[in-house]
Amino acid sequence: MMIIRGTGESATMPDPFTGLFRPQRVKKAEVTHLGGLPVTKTLDWVDLKFAEEIQVPADAWIDWDAKTQKFITISEAGKAGLTAKSKVVVHYDHNLLRDTKWHDGSSFSLADMVIKLALVFDRGKPESKLFDSSAQVSLRSFQEAFRGIRIVKENPVVIEYYTDQVFLDAEYVARDAAN
């Protein structure tokens, strides 16, 4: 993991004293939870609010077709009306796609962000050329809480992330969405 962390690019990093996640490549995160959930926030980069219901948009990606190598939207999956316990809108740094470089000097792109999610799905699906049976269990676990993601804006990058995963600290669900 030292090599992966040293050559990777995390949007957030844990504070060594509190354990709460701090932004590294994120300007802010807007976290919305269902009302009544015991969630608080501590750090200023996260805005926290509550709602009676959180609808997942029909054009959000919820799954991956390993044969065609395409994301599957909520509507394509026949899951119209799907709701979530949490919604996170992540606003990345304005210069993320312009100034951020990888360890080898190559430019960071939106495709680098999307491929990470595609691989989470692809490696856990038996019909994939990249299938890894050890990834199947973690994919199932991820899919139990994952409710969708969509790219709202490409420059600067803004994404919406929907999940049923709930943490007591809003910074943790913001971290899950951002990374």
Side-chain angles (χ1 to χ4, degrees):
M1 288 306 295
M2 285 183 69
I3 294 168
I4 291 171
R5 289 183 186 122
T7 59
E9 186 63 36
S10 295
T12 62
M13 298 291 284
D15 185 298
F17 300 102
T18 67
L20 292 175
F21 286 89
R22 293 194 172 271
Q24 177 170 279
R25 301 287 184 205
V26 174
K27 183 178 163 188
K28 69 176 181 173
E30 301 163 3
V31 177
T32 305
H33 281 294
L34 287 181
L37 292 175
V39 180
T40 61
K41 74 136 191 151
T42 303
L43 304 175
D44 290 339
W45 72 280
V46 174
D47 293 327
L48 176 62
K49 57 186 172 184
F50 295 91
E52 291 299 313
E53 183 178 69
I54 300 171
Q55 285 280 330
V56 183
D59 62 342
W61 297 333
I62 191 160
D63 204 350
W64 173 258
D65 185 325
K67 288 182 184 176
T68 63
Q69 298 287 285
K70 289 178 55 181
F71 283 104
I72 299 168
T73 65
I74 296 287
S75 62
E76 292 167 341
K79 296 187 177 192
L82 185 68
T83 61
K85 292 181 182 176
S86 303
K87 171 187 174 182
V88 183
V89 180
V90 181
H91 299 260
Y92 291 86
D93 289 341
H94 288 293
N95 62 351
L96 178 70
L97 301 181
R98 187 186 70 227
D99 297 342
T100 306
K101 305 287 184 200
W102 284 102
H103 63 285
D104 65 357
S106 61
S107 295
F108 184 79
S109 72
L110 189 57
D112 292 314
M113 298 172 79
V114 172
I115 192 67
K116 184 176 177 182
L117 180 62
L119 289 172
V120 166
F121 283 103
D122 208 46
R123 290 182 56 240
K125 299 214 173 217
E127 57 276 7
S128 169
K129 292 178 184 178
L130 300 176
F131 176 63
D132 179 348
S133 60
S134 67
Q136 208 168 19
V137 173
S138 61
L139 174 60
R140 276 192 221 122
S141 177
F142 170 73
Q143 286 182 301
E144 283 182 25
F146 180 68
R147 293 294 172 262
I149 190 169
R150 72 179 183 158
I151 300 167
V152 176
K153 192 173 178 186
E154 292 186 20
N155 196 10
V157 178
V158 178
I159 62 128
E160 288 178 352
Y161 181 81
Y162 298 85
T163 184
D164 276 351
Q165 181 70 52
V166 177
F167 297 98
L168 296 176
D169 297 298
E171 290 83 359
Y172 276 81
V173 73
R175 179 254 183 213
D176 275 1
N179 285 334

